[in-house]
Amino acid sequence: NAGVTQTPKFQVLKTGQSMTLQCAQDMNHEYMSWYRQDPGMGLRLIHYSVGAGITDQGEVPNGYNVSRSTTEDFPLRLLSAAPSQTSVYFCASSYSTSEHNEQFFGPGTRLTVL
Amino acid sequence: AQSVTQLDSQVPVFEEAPVELRCNYSSSVSVYLFWYVQYPNQGLQLLLKYLSGSTLVKGINGFEAEFNKSQTSFHLRKPSVHISDTAEYFCAVSPPGTGGGNKLTFGTGTQLKVEL
């Protein structure tokens, strides 16, 4: 199993550009989520999905869209990038929607918005 | 709503010495508690978790944590650290019973630096 994979590893955008961060898992996990990690702030939940076709907002959803058309993929879209979205983005998945399940994290995407 | 406080942003320690990383949480409901570790340039991985039962929880790599309900704490300990334990450690909580997945609330992290 490759686990949770994320592409790209690094990305530089200009303000106003759009892009999609890719996330895929091959563990047939039901639950997937996106976090952003900023210095001194830990990780904060952006969006999550409890299954294909079902998504919901987390703590910091503004400026981001998600969709879940398959169990495996959970892309994160930045509609119009802003410098405040400079961050490291982590995708995570877990076996079920139970609150006590271990989450498996991808290696992250480091995004810089100029 | 819940929050997590990790008071120590950095903890330097010599190899083979014991270490304690502190975590306090605030919540109006009971929560599940987790410790995750992030090695340089990697994603997070689970060290241990407390759901219920025995307040002393053992995890991977020789780490353990103790849940103290009266002090709302979940401190992480290791009796003898190794250079390879150098990493950032995150405490996190998740409210049970929502049925909507493991929506973790993280602390700000503690950087553990093990020195020779």
Side-chain angles (χ1 to χ4, degrees), chain B residues 49-85:
Chain B
K49 62 182 178 182
Y50 173 79
L51 305 181
S52 65
S54 173
T55 58
L56 183 63
V57 180
K58 293 191 183 298
I60 61 171
N61 300 339
F63 283 93
E64 63 181 33
E66 185 154 21
F67 169 60
N68 188 318
K69 187 175 182 179
S70 63
Q71 297 186 7
T72 59
S73 67
F74 190 53
H75 300 332
L76 181 71
R77 302 187 186 101
K78 187 169 183 177
S80 176
V81 296
H82 189 265
I83 283 283
S84 59
D85 293 323

Side-chain angles (χ1 to χ4, degrees), chain A residues 16-48:
Chain A
Q17 287 184 315
S18 62
M19 80 158 295
T20 299
L21 279 64
Q22 301 292 344
C23 172
Q25 52 89 10
D26 62 357
M27 299 174 283
N28 201 30
H29 282 177
E30 188 173 7
Y31 181 81
M32 297 185 74
S33 55
W34 277 101
Y35 292 86
R36 59 177 289 173
Q37 181 180 28
D38 301 294
M41 301 190 72
L43 283 79
R44 292 178 292 168
L45 182 64
I46 305 171
H47 284 285
Y48 64 95

